[in-house]
Amino acid sequence: MLNASLRQLSLLLSEKKISSTELTHEFLTRIKVLNPDLNAFITTDEEKSLNQARLADEMIATGRSTPLTGIPVAQKDIFCATGWLTTCGSKMLSNFVSPYDATVVARLDRAGMVNLGKTNMDEFAMGSSNETSHYGPVKNPWDRRAVPGGSSGGSACAVAARLAPAATGSDTGGSIRQPAALCGISGIKPTYGLVSRYGMIAFASSLDQGGPMAKSAEDLSILLNAMVGFDERDSTSLQREKEDYTRDLEKPAGGLRIGLPREFFAEGMSSDVSSAVDAALAEYRKLGATFVEVSLPNSRLAVPVYYVLAPAEASSNLSRFDGVRYGYRAAQYDNLEELYAKTRAEGFGEEVKRRILIGTYVLSHGYYDAYYLQAQKLRRLIAEDFTKAFEQCDLIMGPTSPTVAFNIGEKCGDPIQMYLSDIYTSAASLAGLPGMSIPIGFGNQNRPVGLHIIGNYFREAHMLNVAHRYQQVTDWHKLTPPESGN
Ligand code: GLN
């Protein structure tokens, strides 16, 4: 049951071999046993989950089910969910019970999925290791000394440790793909604008994009079908005809032209990651793919550009947390100014404060032209590199992360080293392109390695097809971490 695909679960449910209540119960029990050590969930609420499961069982009994009805899902704590504590990993929202649903949550609810709980994450999604969470670090189920990646570390851990069959994540500069890679699962960040940002707590609005995390590409395609869609409450939501992301899964991969960016296969990638990537590419060659070297000359600037633009937007988005309307409020203050200052000083963690300072600085008069405006221009050049590359190839492949998961505490004291975890993922985010990661083996200390697949805009169905073909001839996505940890 724990290793079943979403299709298999759906079949078991519709054939009444198991009820959603039983299935939900099984995962909740597993969470109770394993979560105290793994720390993947910030909040669970058995009663709420089981109530939803009962409703799902009714939907099934009355023939109103969708392919996802009755299947439990873990929600990243960045998504508002009615009546659920929604903390975004921060002390600032440690008392915030959402009065409304994010569109992603509402859509999965409507499909009949059961919310298993809210997963741990880096504070306000700022981080690559889940260590900035107010709720403490999450452990990597493959090696509990290691980080799960971030910021969707709780969701990645939950899926990898089989605490949930699927989870939601959000990706601003790599936060779905990098933790998916580090935890040995599959994750996709769709084209910017496909999944509604309504009710997804804002970090950097021009980059933030929600997406699914699951065991396989097939599972991702089923989840994406329910998550994608126009939403008038998100001003950057795209109005497009509805697609079935499962439609191309079985297409053969022959004739596929894979672009390998020179810049991604240069120094920086550790040798264990490089061997796993080479082996995965060899598998694609067997499937009939050909390779072409492409160049993304401006991608070397992606990390610095990202770390100007994302903090700039964050400094603006996070100005709403002032202790007045909701969330944390300092206990003692003498005037309004002090209420703001103390609330923010006490409510935000160190990394969030660092981003607010950087963001305020690059937007300030006198520095705006030198940093913010310059970064915007470079963002355009980074996107244009991809446009050129896609004239020569159908998809781009490379490593998702330069190394396998590092140890908890290893990079905490060095923000620059931490920021470099996004070296391969941030360029696609800046360009608004879809990107995904799939497990392709293990590197040093038997920690998972992910393959990064970047597609042109709206090529999700094709990317999922290409990932699925690989998963039909390999078993990496089926492997489960040792139960006891290391
Ligand atoms: N690690 C990156 C950061 O800290 C990306 C985070 C994300 O995608 N939410 O900003």
Side-chain angles (χ1 to χ4, degrees), residues 76 78 122 124-129 150-152 170-178 203 208 306-307 310-311 351 355 418-419 421-422 425-426 429:
K76 183 176 183 180
I78 198 166
D122 280 298
F124 286 104
M126 298 175 191
S128 305
S129 67
S151 64
S152 311
S170 71
D171 190 310
T172 303
S175 277
I176 287 178
R177 294 162 283 162
Q178 185 255 14
F203 162 13
D208 296 345
Y306 174 86
Y307 279 99
E351 183 60 27
R355 305 278 177 113
M418 192 68 92
Y419 295 170
S421 309
D422 303 319
T425 48
S426 51
S429 295

Side-chain angles (χ1 to χ4, degrees), residues 151-195:
S151 64
S152 311
S155 287
C157 171
V159 173
R162 307 298 191 246
L163 303 183
T168 55
S170 71
D171 190 310
T172 303
S175 277
I176 287 178
R177 294 162 283 162
Q178 185 255 14
L182 270 43
C183 285
I185 63 157
S186 307
I188 185 164
K189 176 202 94 76
T191 304
Y192 179 79
L194 281 186
V195 171

